[in-house]
Amino acid sequence: MTNDLEQPTIVVSLGTDHHKFDRLVDWIEEWLSLAKHPPACLIQHGASRQPVLAAARDRMPRPELLLLYENATVVVVQGGPGSILDARSVGHIPIAVPRRPELHEVVDGHQIAFTRTMAKAGEAIAAESPQELFRALDAALLHPESVRTPPRTSHPEIAGQKLQDELEHLAGSHTGPIALRRLRQVMTRH
């Protein structure tokens, strides 16, 4: 962590995508403006507008961001897989706000689907409206232990076995051969 940056209570990361995500900056700043005693907040804003009510960094090295996450009370991230999994890797259940393609914040709806999947699995808290974000922030600050868990570590051997099991199941189904041919076509193009 750089010496000029104190540890914030809330760390928000919008990632480094070239698409703007001003909507999340606006929501965080609205929540801060309504708070009786707003906590210290840092927004890593990337290409989005720089916040006024929070400390701001456009980009930072990943190890520095992970250290900020680790020591924060609350982590808020865009709904991208890398952002959610980075927060999980240091023991945070992040509040995740997915970017929306119809608002030109991302090219497709993968963040919506991924955020919802991770929320169902207890790996994130989905916030798709300002009201949901405000409730999640209030709850996380009131009960910070509710957004902390042991760090999530990856287990490639388990993932590999799950993939193998799924492919074997697919091969045995009536649509399996078609799906496997399509998968083979996609993989050989790249």
Side-chain angles (χ1 to χ4, degrees):
M1 189 164 20
T2 60
N3 294 334
D4 64 331
L5 184 62
E6 290 186 33
Q7 176 61 49
T9 303
I10 300 172
V11 175
V12 181
S13 175
L14 280 58
T16 57
D17 191 284
H18 69 277
H19 294 92
K20 293 188 181 296
F21 197 16
D22 293 344
R23 180 170 58 100
L24 181 51
V25 176
D26 293 342
W27 290 1
I28 292 290
E29 294 218 296
E30 181 180 352
W31 181 83
L32 289 169
S33 74
L34 296 171
K36 190 172 187 173
H37 302 288
C41 179
L42 167 75
I43 300 177
Q44 178 276 309
H45 57 89
S48 302
R49 79 166 182 82
Q50 186 169 327
V52 175
L53 300 178
R57 294 279 297 274
D58 60 346
R59 298 174 187 270
M60 66 182 68
R62 184 172 177 264
E64 183 178 347
L65 184 61
L66 292 178
L67 186 59
L68 285 167
Y69 284 177
E70 189 173 351
N71 293 305
T73 303
V74 180
V75 174
V76 179
V77 296
Q78 66 170 345
S83 297
I84 292 173
L85 294 175
D86 275 352
R88 291 298 298 120
S89 76
V90 296
H92 267 281
I93 299 172
I95 300 169
V97 179
R99 292 172 178 255
R100 302 194 68 85
E102 68 273 15
L103 300 176
H104 308 289
E105 297 168 339
V106 69
V107 296
D108 60 29
H110 77 279
Q111 286 198 5
I112 297 166
F114 189 76
T115 297
R116 289 175 181 171
T117 297
M118 293 301 279
K120 283 181 188 171
E123 299 283 339
I125 299 164
E128 296 189 43
S129 71
Q131 296 77 22
E132 289 177 345
L133 176 63
F134 296 1
R135 281 193 299 272
L137 284 165
D138 292 340
L141 288 170
L142 189 60
H143 300 287
E145 71 284 354
S146 70
V147 291
R148 295 305 296 250
T149 66
R152 183 182 194 276
T153 55
S154 63
H155 299 282
E157 65 284 348
I158 294 172
Q161 184 60 52
K162 285 182 178 182
L163 178 61
Q164 181 179 343
D165 294 347
E166 190 60 32
L167 288 172
E168 288 172 2
H169 170 74
L170 190 59
S173 73
H174 65 73
T175 59
I178 296 167
L180 288 173
R181 274 196 307 276
R182 176 72 183 123
L183 178 62
R184 195 173 303 121
Q185 289 171 346
V186 170
M187 293 184 74
T188 57
R189 279 190 219 153
H190 301 285

